[in-house]
Structure formats: structure tokens, C-alpha cells
Amino acid sequence: MPEDDLAGTAELVRIAARVREDDTLYARFRRTFNERIEEYVALTPVRRRQGVAELRALLGGDPVHAVLAGIVGAAR
């Protein structure tokens, strides 16, 4: 999603409001989120490093801190 996707952001806000207001949706969200956290915590350090390496290769690009430093530097 592009950074300036206002319609997409508005849709996410709408969905978040639905989840907050509907106990069944919230329970499903909470259960799914907890399952994902448990899966991550269960990873060995080696598997975590492999996952990071895999994402790094897929996403490429500059690290976030370098991008932010460029933005802050350009604003001065």
C-alpha cells in the first residue's frame, strides 16, 4: 500500500472500528494475533535469523534507519 493511500488508510480505520465494536470479530483477531506471537516465540534463534535473512532478500532496499536519516537530513 503506498504511503499516501488515504482511501486504504480510511478502510483500515473502518475495519479496526468494526473489530473493536464486535466481540466475535475481536475474539477472532485476538486469537489469531496470539497464535502468531506464540509461533514467533517458539522459533529458535537460528530460525529467527533465517527468517530475517529471507525477508531481507525479498524486500531489499535500504534499511529503515538509513531512509529516515535521509528524510531528516533533507528536511534541514
Side-chain angles (χ1 to χ4, degrees), residues 11-67:
E11 183 64 13
L12 290 173
V13 169
R14 187 187 69 74
I15 292 168
R18 277 188 55 217
V19 169
R20 224 177 66 199
E21 295 167 1
D22 184 317
D23 290 341
T24 302
L25 283 176
Y26 178 75
R28 183 176 171 195
F29 169 80
R30 187 183 65 234
R31 184 175 52 253
T32 301
F33 199 75
N34 286 342
E35 288 170 359
R36 299 278 172 94
I37 290 172
E38 289 169 7
E39 289 171 4
Y40 174 78
V41 171
L43 293 174
T44 65
V46 170
R47 293 291 295 154
R48 285 186 195 141
R49 284 192 299 274
Q50 289 171 338
V52 168
E54 181 180 343
L55 284 174
R56 185 178 293 129
L58 290 171
L59 298 175
D62 296 328
V64 172
H65 71 277
V67 173

